[in-house]
Coordinates of all heavy atoms in Angstrom, one line a residue:
Chain B
A124 N -34.9 20.3 34.0 CA -35.5 21.0 32.7 C -37.0 20.5 32.6 O -37.8 21.3 32.5 CB -34.7 20.7 31.4
A125 N -37.1 19.2 32.8 CA -38.4 18.6 32.7 C -39.4 19.2 33.6 O -40.4 19.7 33.3 CB -38.4 17.1 32.8
E126 N -39.0 19.3 34.9 CA -39.8 19.7 36.0 C -40.2 21.2 35.8 O -41.2 21.7 35.8 CB -39.0 19.6 37.3 CG -39.8 20.0 38.5 CD -40.9 19.1 39.0 OE1 -41.1 18.0 38.3 OE2 -41.7 19.5 39.8
G127 N -39.0 22.0 35.5 CA -39.2 23.4 35.3 C -40.1 23.7 34.1 O -41.0 24.5 34.2
Q128 N -39.9 22.9 33.0 CA -40.7 23.3 31.9 C -42.2 22.9 32.0 O -43.0 23.6 31.6 CB -40.2 22.4 30.6 CG -38.9 23.1 30.2 CD -38.1 22.2 29.2 OE1 -38.6 21.2 28.6 NE2 -36.8 22.3 29.1
R129 N -42.4 21.8 32.9 CA -43.7 21.5 33.2 C -44.4 22.6 33.9 O -45.5 23.0 33.6 CB -43.7 20.3 34.0 CG -45.1 19.4 33.9 CD -45.0 18.2 34.8 NE -44.6 18.4 36.1 CZ -45.4 19.1 37.0 NH1 -46.6 19.5 36.6 NH2 -44.9 19.3 38.2
L130 N -43.8 23.1 35.0 CA -44.3 24.2 35.8 C -44.6 25.4 35.0 O -45.8 26.0 35.1 CB -43.3 24.5 36.9 CG -43.2 23.4 38.0 CD1 -42.1 23.8 39.0 CD2 -44.6 23.3 38.8
I131 N -43.6 25.8 34.2 CA -43.9 27.0 33.4 C -44.9 26.7 32.2 O -45.8 27.6 32.1 CB -42.5 27.4 32.8 CG1 -41.5 27.7 33.8 CG2 -42.7 28.6 31.8 CD1 -41.3 29.1 34.1
G132 N -44.8 25.6 31.7 CA -45.8 25.3 30.6 C -47.2 25.3 31.1 O -48.1 25.8 30.4
D133 N -47.4 24.7 32.2 CA -48.8 24.6 32.7 C -49.4 26.0 32.9 O -50.5 26.4 32.7 CB -48.8 23.9 34.1 CG -48.7 22.4 34.0 OD1 -48.6 21.9 32.7 OD2 -48.5 21.7 34.9
F134 N -48.5 26.8 33.6 CA -48.8 28.2 33.9 C -49.2 28.9 32.5 O -50.3 29.6 32.4 CB -47.7 29.0 34.5 CG -48.0 30.4 34.6 CD1 -48.9 31.0 35.6 CD2 -47.3 31.3 33.7 CE1 -49.1 32.4 35.7 CE2 -47.5 32.6 33.7 CZ -48.4 33.2 34.8
L135 N -48.4 28.7 31.6 CA -48.6 29.5 30.2 C -49.9 29.0 29.6 O -50.7 29.8 29.1 CB -47.5 29.2 29.3 CG -46.1 29.8 29.6 CD1 -45.0 29.3 28.6 CD2 -46.1 31.4 29.5
A136 N -50.0 27.6 29.6 CA -51.3 27.1 29.0 C -52.6 27.6 29.7 O -53.5 28.1 29.1 CB -51.3 25.5 29.1
A137 N -52.5 27.8 31.0 CA -53.7 28.3 31.8 C -54.0 29.7 31.3 O -55.1 30.0 31.0 CB -53.4 28.2 33.2
R138 N -52.8 30.5 31.3 CA -53.2 31.9 31.0 C -53.6 32.1 29.5 O -54.3 33.1 29.3 CB -51.9 32.7 31.3 CG -51.5 32.9 32.8 CD -52.6 33.6 33.6 NE -52.3 33.5 35.0 CZ -52.0 34.6 35.7 NH1 -51.9 35.7 35.1 NH2 -51.6 34.4 36.9
A139 N -53.0 31.2 28.6 CA -53.5 31.3 27.2 C -55.0 31.0 27.1 O -55.7 31.6 26.4 CB -52.6 30.4 26.4
A140 N -55.3 29.9 28.0 CA -56.7 29.4 27.9 C -57.7 30.5 28.4 O -58.7 30.6 27.9 CB -56.8 28.1 28.8
A141 N -57.1 31.3 29.4 CA -57.8 32.3 30.0 C -57.9 33.5 29.0 O -58.4 34.6 29.4 CB -57.3 32.9 31.4
G142 N -57.2 33.4 27.9 CA -57.2 34.7 27.0 C -56.3 35.7 27.3 O -56.2 36.7 26.7
E143 N -55.4 35.5 28.4 CA -54.5 36.6 28.8 C -53.3 36.7 27.9 O -52.6 37.7 27.7 CB -54.1 36.5 30.3 CG -53.6 37.7 30.8 CD -53.1 37.5 32.2 OE1 -53.4 36.5 32.8 OE2 -52.3 38.4 32.8
L144 N -52.9 35.5 27.4 CA -51.8 35.3 26.5 C -52.2 34.9 25.2 O -53.3 34.1 25.1 CB -50.8 34.4 27.0 CG -50.0 34.8 28.4 CD1 -49.1 33.6 28.8 CD2 -49.3 36.0 28.2
R145 N -51.5 35.3 24.1 CA -51.9 34.8 22.7 C -51.8 33.3 22.7 O -51.0 32.7 23.5 CB -50.9 35.5 21.7 CG -49.4 34.9 21.8 CD -48.6 35.5 20.8 NE -47.3 35.3 21.0 CZ -46.6 34.2 20.4 NH1 -47.2 33.3 19.8 NH2 -45.3 34.1 20.7
P146 N -52.5 32.7 21.8 CA -52.5 31.2 21.6 C -51.1 30.9 21.2 O -50.5 31.6 20.3 CB -53.5 31.0 20.5 CG -54.3 32.3 20.4 CD -53.5 33.4 20.8
H147 N -50.5 29.8 21.7 CA -49.2 29.5 21.4 C -48.9 28.1 21.9 O -49.6 27.5 22.6 CB -48.2 30.5 22.1 CG -48.2 30.3 23.6 ND1 -49.0 30.8 24.4 CD2 -47.3 29.6 24.4 CE1 -48.8 30.5 25.7 NE2 -47.7 29.8 25.7
D148 N -47.7 27.6 21.4 CA -47.3 26.2 21.8 C -46.6 26.3 23.1 O -45.4 26.6 23.3 CB -46.3 25.6 20.7 CG -45.7 24.3 21.1 OD1 -45.8 24.0 22.2 OD2 -45.2 23.6 20.2
S149 N -47.4 26.0 24.2 CA -46.9 26.4 25.5 C -45.7 25.4 26.0 O -44.8 25.8 26.6 CB -48.0 26.0 26.6 OG -49.0 27.0 26.4
A150 N -45.7 24.2 25.6 CA -44.6 23.4 25.8 C -43.3 23.9 25.3 O -42.3 24.0 25.9 CB -44.8 21.9 25.4
M151 N -43.4 24.3 24.0 CA -42.2 24.9 23.3 C -41.8 26.1 23.9 O -40.6 26.4 24.0 CB -42.5 25.1 21.8 CG -41.4 25.7 21.0 SD -39.9 24.7 21.0 CE -40.4 23.5 19.7

Side-chain angles (χ1 to χ4, degrees):
Chain B
E126 179 78 4
Q128 285 165 27
R129 202 182 51 71
L130 290 170
I131 302 265
D133 288 354
F134 171 78
L135 290 176
R138 294 296 174 111
E143 194 185 351
L144 294 175
R145 67 174 170 95
H147 67 281
D148 181 339
S149 291
M151 176 62 79

